[in-house]
Amino acid sequence: MKETPKELKIHQNLMSGTMSIDGFLGNDERHFHEIIEADRNELKLLDISTDEIADRLEYFTDKAFESYDGPVIIDKKYKVFYDSFRGKILCPFDHPGVYRKGSITLKNLQNDLEVCWTPLNIHLIREHCFFEGKGSTHRLEPTILSKVLF
Ligand SMILES: [Zn+2]
């Protein structure tokens, strides 16, 4: 596929070793446009929007961040743990913003399903509909998110 210089830059940013050790594509062979397109279609089938998912992730992130140490129970249904790391990370799509490093683990106590995300994930989902490539450390499956977060 022919890429514009901007797309080429994004593609390089998404690959391992450029902006993060693991990168954002995992072992996914698809172009990032195809990854985004496939997830967009899946969201349609699930009848859920990127904003709805991002809002939920943000809600839990903020609540867990306020709690400082140890896991917290939120709304009697979610066990959430915020693991904070030093440092910031940039958006691989060349946005000016910086995002806190850290990971948030949430367990839905009703169905025992668990997901883990980073502050950057929230931005990538909201602004880019990018859930990362299959096999990537922070890949989030829309289907699983829809079962865990709501
Ligand atoms: Zn961005």
Side-chain angles (χ1 to χ4, degrees):
M1 183 188 279
K2 188 137 171 60
E3 293 183 305
T4 63
K6 186 171 193 290
E7 285 179 318
L8 197 65
K9 173 92 194 314
I10 293 170
H11 208 156
Q12 278 165 355
N13 287 346
L14 293 172
M15 291 197 290
S16 58
T18 313
M19 295 187 70
S20 78
I21 297 163
D22 301 322
F24 301 88
L25 297 173
N27 50 17
D28 208 317
E29 304 271 297
R30 297 171 298 168
H31 189 274
F32 69 89
H33 283 316
E34 294 175 75
I35 297 172
I36 289 170
E37 210 37 50
D39 285 327
R40 211 184 283 284
N41 288 331
E42 197 170 328
L43 291 176
K44 260 182 222 155
L45 292 174
L46 293 165
D47 194 24
I48 191 166
S49 72
T50 48
D51 275 333
E52 285 172 295
I53 291 176
D55 285 349
R56 281 307 265 176
L57 293 175
E58 215 158 76
Y59 169 74
F60 292 120
T61 301
D62 291 346
K63 288 239 167 186
F65 191 66
E66 287 160 14
S67 80
Y68 294 102
D69 52 4
V72 275
I73 304 290
I74 297 172
D75 301 337
K76 296 180 186 157
K77 185 178 163 188
Y78 310 93
K79 190 175 175 183
V80 189
F81 179 67
Y82 194 120
D83 200 3
S84 140
F85 314 125
R86 270 173 191 279
K88 308 251 178 184
I89 187 165
L90 298 166
C91 170
F93 290 86
D94 262 355
H95 272 144
V98 287
Y99 301 89
R100 283 197 308 263
K101 284 195 175 176
S103 77
I104 302 96
T105 309
L106 176 146
K107 186 177 188 177
N108 181 315
L109 300 172
Q110 283 178 353
N111 57 25
D112 269 356
L113 289 171
E114 201 172 276
V115 282
C116 180
W117 68 88
T118 68
L120 180 61
N121 275 128
I122 303 173
H123 168 79
L124 293 176
I125 290 171
R126 193 188 294 285
E127 300 296 330
H128 308 286
C129 191
F130 186 58
F131 292 75
E132 306 203 4
K134 303 265 182 193
S136 171
T137 321
H138 295 292
R139 162 75 189 171
L140 290 165
E141 290 296 338
T143 314
I144 295 174
L145 289 174
S146 75
K147 289 180 189 153
V148 180
L149 300 176
F150 298 93

